[in-house]
Amino acid sequence: MKFQDQFMWGTASAAYQVEGAYAEDGKGLSVWDAYTQEGGHVAHGENGNVACDHYHRFREDVQTMREMGVKNYRLSISWPRVIPNGTGEVNRKGLQFYSDLVDELLANGIEPLVTLFHWDYPYALHKRGGWLNPAASDWFAEYAKVVVDALSDRVQYWMTLNEPQVFVGCGYAIGKFAPFQTLPVRDLAQISHNVLLSHGKAVKVIREHAKKKPIVGFAFCTPCWTPENDSPEAVEEARRKSFSISRGRLCFDAAWWADPIVLGDYPKEAYEMLGDDMPQIAPGDLECISQPIDFYGVNIYESKANENPDGYAENAYLGCARTQMGWPVTPEALYWGPKFLYERYRKPILITENGMASHDWVQLDGKVHDPQRIDYMKRYLRELYRATQDGIDVMGYMYWSVMDNFEWADGYDKRFGLVHVDYCTQKRTIKDSGYFYRDVIRTNGEAIFSDTWEG
Ligand code: GCO
């Protein structure tokens, strides 16, 4: 039992979480840089100033990926590293870093997948109104053009935005992530619209200017509800919940973001629910937003079913296995999530993130033994395989994350990596799961079907 021949096996990261060098070589500040310097927002007052120092150690990190046999690497570009003020003058040194990284990856047989925006919004633009400014989507298109001009001779896979659900929801609705705001629904809806326009304009820029034929998508998350059993009623209920819209959780919903892009309009419930709070939609906006995309990239970690276990057997989630984040281990999410998304949107699915944080440390023998993560990967990947067997078109799987890194408001405690990072010495140690993943990749998935793994 194997995945299809062209299946993409990779790992993922994001600029702010790994790079460090936050004020080096002409880089401008992002909202994460600016707000974390003042403390109070992140566990232990931590920040990404140094993070994994990937900016200086990327060659070593590429070698580590190569040792794990990784075929694809999903990375993100820091907008203020490339354009320090968000618009205007380009920072050549910043751009050079990404160009060198891409070269290094390709020289080692690793195909890069580039995310244009993974939350590190230029602070200079934030001060000018940020995503609420009517010029927001033009700023993003300008930035996209700079990156596409520099990298598209070598990069083929593009994702515009990572998880608008979270950077808008956590950043502007509940104030948990930078810039830590709590805005009213009307503003959140307008921000969403500007973010969607940014996506559409960036897709246009990529298609018009890419030198290598581009393959374009995004990396969204999805509140993935899984059915309690296989009855048609339970499946329908889970599907309905997976795409429902609520005023209070608007930004976190899936259909609010994906319907305009893939289906060409906001869900009709959104119009009914928001009324006057709907964003201003100018003629041509929806056409711009719904530029054709090539794949639906999705980050899936858990089923939402345990948040509201209505309809589930009593005690169904009591004491369930949870990762270090407290997220329930619910492998079936990697079956139902791709299935529901594929059935609604009919786009090939790319798993742009999946993985777990665990209590990993370097043990007395100098190794990092993380059997839970290996078990997690087997269980989730078996479900993904089941989806492919049911006809769901799955392009690939990017494990989150290639190495331990800065986990946003949780700082450095939460370790998601296949590679352990000692933040005092910056020493990297491939965890057992990293070697296991090498076997998975080498066997095109066969290794997940063995219940044991000897290492
Ligand atoms: C997200 C981001 C990643 C996270 C990861 C674990 O989904 O929040 O894309 O940056 O680090 O998902 O929380």
Side-chain angles (χ1 to χ4, degrees), residues 2 8 13 69-70 110 114 179 273 275 290 305 312 373 411 428 438 451:
K2 291 177 175 201
M8 298 164 73
S13 77
V70 165
I110 302 170
V114 168
M273 197 176 304
S290 60
Y312 284 76
R373 185 174 285 104
R428 273 73 161 142
R438 182 172 69 183
D451 288 341

PDB file of all heavy atoms in Angstrom, residues 2 8 13 69-70 110 114 179 273 275 290 305 312 373 411 428 438 451:
ATOM      1  N   LYS A   2       0.723   1.999  -1.046  1.00  0.00           N
ATOM      2  CA  LYS A   2       1.570   3.180  -1.219  1.00  0.00           C
ATOM      3  C   LYS A   2       0.722   4.340  -1.695  1.00  0.00           C
ATOM      4  O   LYS A   2      -0.356   4.151  -2.246  1.00  0.00           O
ATOM      5  CB  LYS A   2       2.614   2.938  -2.299  1.00  0.00           C
ATOM      6  CG  LYS A   2       3.664   1.938  -1.947  1.00  0.00           C
ATOM      7  CD  LYS A   2       4.592   1.754  -3.133  1.00  0.00           C
ATOM      8  CE  LYS A   2       5.718   0.828  -2.686  1.00  0.00           C
ATOM      9  NZ  LYS A   2       6.898   0.894  -3.444  1.00  0.00           N
ATOM     10  N   MET A   8       3.700  14.314  -2.965  1.00  0.00           N
ATOM     11  CA  MET A   8       4.717  15.243  -2.468  1.00  0.00           C
ATOM     12  C   MET A   8       4.888  15.053  -0.960  1.00  0.00           C
ATOM     13  O   MET A   8       3.958  15.259  -0.199  1.00  0.00           O
ATOM     14  CB  MET A   8       4.285  16.685  -2.766  1.00  0.00           C
ATOM     15  CG  MET A   8       4.137  16.959  -4.256  1.00  0.00           C
ATOM     16  SD  MET A   8       3.214  18.471  -4.588  1.00  0.00           S
ATOM     17  CE  MET A   8       4.442  19.703  -4.130  1.00  0.00           C
ATOM     18  N   SER A  13       7.588  25.255   7.397  1.00  0.00           N
ATOM     19  CA  SER A  13       7.987  26.224   8.432  1.00  0.00           C
ATOM     20  C   SER A  13       7.418  27.580   8.015  1.00  0.00           C
ATOM     21  O   SER A  13       6.769  27.701   6.983  1.00  0.00           O
ATOM     22  CB  SER A  13       9.510  26.334   8.545  1.00  0.00           C
ATOM     23  OG  SER A  13      10.012  27.122   7.469  1.00  0.00           O
ATOM     24  N   GLY A  69      15.638  12.929   3.945  1.00  0.00           N
ATOM     25  CA  GLY A  69      15.064  12.507   2.663  1.00  0.00           C
ATOM     26  C   GLY A  69      13.872  13.330   2.211  1.00  0.00           C
ATOM     27  O   GLY A  69      13.090  12.897   1.353  1.00  0.00           O
ATOM     28  N   VAL A  70      13.741  14.521   2.791  1.00  0.00           N
ATOM     29  CA  VAL A  70      12.586  15.370   2.484  1.00  0.00           C
ATOM     30  C   VAL A  70      12.621  15.801   1.019  1.00  0.00           C
ATOM     31  O   VAL A  70      13.660  16.194   0.502  1.00  0.00           O
ATOM     32  CB  VAL A  70      12.637  16.603   3.416  1.00  0.00           C
ATOM     33  CG1 VAL A  70      11.724  17.690   2.932  1.00  0.00           C
ATOM     34  CG2 VAL A  70      12.301  16.195   4.842  1.00  0.00           C
ATOM     35  N   ILE A 110      15.629  19.325  -3.200  1.00  0.00           N
ATOM     36  CA  ILE A 110      14.407  19.618  -2.431  1.00  0.00           C
ATOM     37  C   ILE A 110      13.643  20.732  -3.135  1.00  0.00           C
ATOM     38  O   ILE A 110      14.186  21.802  -3.405  1.00  0.00           O
ATOM     39  CB  ILE A 110      14.750  20.043  -0.985  1.00  0.00           C
ATOM     40  CG1 ILE A 110      15.544  18.931  -0.295  1.00  0.00           C
ATOM     41  CG2 ILE A 110      13.466  20.368  -0.201  1.00  0.00           C
ATOM     42  CD1 ILE A 110      16.135  19.317   1.040  1.00  0.00           C
ATOM     43  N   VAL A 114       6.490  28.054  -1.815  1.00  0.00           N
ATOM     44  CA  VAL A 114       6.610  29.366  -1.156  1.00  0.00           C
ATOM     45  C   VAL A 114       5.246  29.917  -0.728  1.00  0.00           C
ATOM     46  O   VAL A 114       4.321  30.032  -1.536  1.00  0.00           O
ATOM     47  CB  VAL A 114       7.319  30.364  -2.098  1.00  0.00           C
ATOM     48  CG1 VAL A 114       7.192  31.791  -1.577  1.00  0.00           C
ATOM     49  CG2 VAL A 114       8.790  29.985  -2.241  1.00  0.00           C
ATOM     50  N   PRO A 179      -1.638  41.828  15.560  1.00  0.00           N
ATOM     51  CA  PRO A 179      -1.344  42.973  16.451  1.00  0.00           C
ATOM     52  C   PRO A 179      -2.235  43.077  17.687  1.00  0.00           C
ATOM     53  O   PRO A 179      -2.394  44.169  18.230  1.00  0.00           O
ATOM     54  CB  PRO A 179      -1.549  44.166  15.525  1.00  0.00           C
ATOM     55  CG  PRO A 179      -2.628  43.720  14.587  1.00  0.00           C
ATOM     56  CD  PRO A 179      -2.457  42.231  14.407  1.00  0.00           C
ATOM     57  N   MET A 273     -26.720  36.931   7.795  1.00  0.00           N
ATOM     58  CA  MET A 273     -26.280  37.115   9.175  1.00  0.00           C
ATOM     59  C   MET A 273     -25.655  38.490   9.406  1.00  0.00           C
ATOM     60  O   MET A 273     -25.860  39.109  10.430  1.00  0.00           O
ATOM     61  CB  MET A 273     -25.255  36.030   9.461  1.00  0.00           C
ATOM     62  CG  MET A 273     -24.973  35.802  10.907  1.00  0.00           C
ATOM     63  SD  MET A 273     -23.847  34.426  11.015  1.00  0.00           S
ATOM     64  CE  MET A 273     -24.717  33.154  10.143  1.00  0.00           C
ATOM     65  N   GLY A 275     -25.820  41.319   7.303  1.00  0.00           N
ATOM     66  CA  GLY A 275     -26.592  42.495   6.887  1.00  0.00           C
ATOM     67  C   GLY A 275     -25.679  43.666   6.560  1.00  0.00           C
ATOM     68  O   GLY A 275     -24.766  43.558   5.736  1.00  0.00           O
ATOM     69  N   SER A 290     -11.941  35.488  -7.076  1.00  0.00           N
ATOM     70  CA  SER A 290     -12.137  34.100  -7.505  1.00  0.00           C
ATOM     71  C   SER A 290     -11.279  33.705  -8.713  1.00  0.00           C
ATOM     72  O   SER A 290     -11.697  32.881  -9.517  1.00  0.00           O
ATOM     73  CB  SER A 290     -13.616  33.843  -7.789  1.00  0.00           C
ATOM     74  OG  SER A 290     -14.066  34.710  -8.808  1.00  0.00           O
ATOM     75  N   ALA A 305     -14.890  18.063  16.858  1.00  0.00           N
ATOM     76  CA  ALA A 305     -16.053  17.431  17.466  1.00  0.00           C
ATOM     77  C   ALA A 305     -16.019  17.478  18.992  1.00  0.00           C
ATOM     78  O   ALA A 305     -17.062  17.584  19.636  1.00  0.00           O
ATOM     79  CB  ALA A 305     -16.160  15.995  16.985  1.00  0.00           C
ATOM     80  N   TYR A 312     -22.659  13.127  20.362  1.00  0.00           N
ATOM     81  CA  TYR A 312     -21.673  12.062  20.511  1.00  0.00           C
ATOM     82  C   TYR A 312     -21.974  11.278  21.782  1.00  0.00           C
ATOM     83  O   TYR A 312     -22.622  11.791  22.697  1.00  0.00           O
ATOM     84  CB  TYR A 312     -20.272  12.658  20.610  1.00  0.00           C
ATOM     85  CG  TYR A 312     -19.758  13.120  19.284  1.00  0.00           C
ATOM     86  CD1 TYR A 312     -20.223  14.294  18.719  1.00  0.00           C
ATOM     87  CD2 TYR A 312     -18.834  12.364  18.578  1.00  0.00           C
ATOM     88  CE1 TYR A 312     -19.779  14.716  17.489  1.00  0.00           C
ATOM     89  CE2 TYR A 312     -18.387  12.776  17.343  1.00  0.00           C
ATOM     90  CZ  TYR A 312     -18.855  13.953  16.809  1.00  0.00           C
ATOM     91  OH  TYR A 312     -18.410  14.350  15.595  1.00  0.00           O
ATOM     92  N   ARG A 373       4.946  10.873  18.535  1.00  0.00           N
ATOM     93  CA  ARG A 373       4.843  11.557  17.238  1.00  0.00           C
ATOM     94  C   ARG A 373       4.821  10.532  16.096  1.00  0.00           C
ATOM     95  O   ARG A 373       4.106  10.713  15.113  1.00  0.00           O
ATOM     96  CB  ARG A 373       5.992  12.555  17.069  1.00  0.00           C
ATOM     97  CG  ARG A 373       5.867  13.385  15.797  1.00  0.00           C
ATOM     98  CD  ARG A 373       6.914  14.482  15.676  1.00  0.00           C
ATOM     99  NE  ARG A 373       6.653  15.609  16.546  1.00  0.00           N
ATOM    100  CZ  ARG A 373       7.294  15.877  17.667  1.00  0.00           C
ATOM    101  NH1 ARG A 373       8.271  15.079  18.072  1.00  0.00           N
ATOM    102  NH2 ARG A 373       6.993  16.922  18.404  1.00  0.00           N
ATOM    103  N   GLY A 411       5.283  30.744  22.555  1.00  0.00           N
ATOM    104  CA  GLY A 411       6.742  30.823  22.624  1.00  0.00           C
ATOM    105  C   GLY A 411       7.423  29.521  22.246  1.00  0.00           C
ATOM    106  O   GLY A 411       6.967  28.805  21.346  1.00  0.00           O
ATOM    107  N   ARG A 428      21.097  21.257  16.448  1.00  0.00           N
ATOM    108  CA  ARG A 428      19.986  20.492  15.885  1.00  0.00           C
ATOM    109  C   ARG A 428      20.219  19.002  16.124  1.00  0.00           C
ATOM    110  O   ARG A 428      21.342  18.515  15.927  1.00  0.00           O
ATOM    111  CB  ARG A 428      19.918  20.682  14.359  1.00  0.00           C
ATOM    112  CG  ARG A 428      19.119  21.884  13.882  1.00  0.00           C
ATOM    113  CD  ARG A 428      19.797  23.175  14.121  1.00  0.00           C
ATOM    114  NE  ARG A 428      19.236  24.228  13.276  1.00  0.00           N
ATOM    115  CZ  ARG A 428      19.050  25.480  13.668  1.00  0.00           C
ATOM    116  NH1 ARG A 428      19.385  25.866  14.892  1.00  0.00           N
ATOM    117  NH2 ARG A 428      18.553  26.371  12.851  1.00  0.00           N
ATOM    118  N   ARG A 438      11.767   9.683   7.234  1.00  0.00           N
ATOM    119  CA  ARG A 438      12.639   9.304   6.117  1.00  0.00           C
ATOM    120  C   ARG A 438      12.203   7.958   5.524  1.00  0.00           C
ATOM    121  O   ARG A 438      12.150   7.788   4.305  1.00  0.00           O
ATOM    122  CB  ARG A 438      14.094   9.226   6.609  1.00  0.00           C
ATOM    123  CG  ARG A 438      15.080   8.890   5.530  1.00  0.00           C
ATOM    124  CD  ARG A 438      16.500   9.024   6.009  1.00  0.00           C
ATOM    125  NE  ARG A 438      16.835   7.998   6.996  1.00  0.00           N
ATOM    126  CZ  ARG A 438      18.001   7.929   7.619  1.00  0.00           C
ATOM    127  NH1 ARG A 438      18.940   8.834   7.385  1.00  0.00           N
ATOM    128  NH2 ARG A 438      18.237   6.980   8.488  1.00  0.00           N
ATOM    129  N   ASP A 451       3.009  -1.637  12.455  1.00  0.00           N
ATOM    130  CA  ASP A 451       2.655  -1.165  13.798  1.00  0.00           C
ATOM    131  C   ASP A 451       3.886  -0.907  14.652  1.00  0.00           C
ATOM    132  O   ASP A 451       3.808  -0.299  15.716  1.00  0.00           O
ATOM    133  CB  ASP A 451       1.736  -2.177  14.503  1.00  0.00           C
ATOM    134  CG  ASP A 451       0.334  -2.155  13.884  1.00  0.00           C
ATOM    135  OD1 ASP A 451       0.019  -1.144  13.208  1.00  0.00           O
ATOM    136  OD2 ASP A 451      -0.422  -3.109  14.077  1.00  0.00           O
TER     137      ASP A 451
END
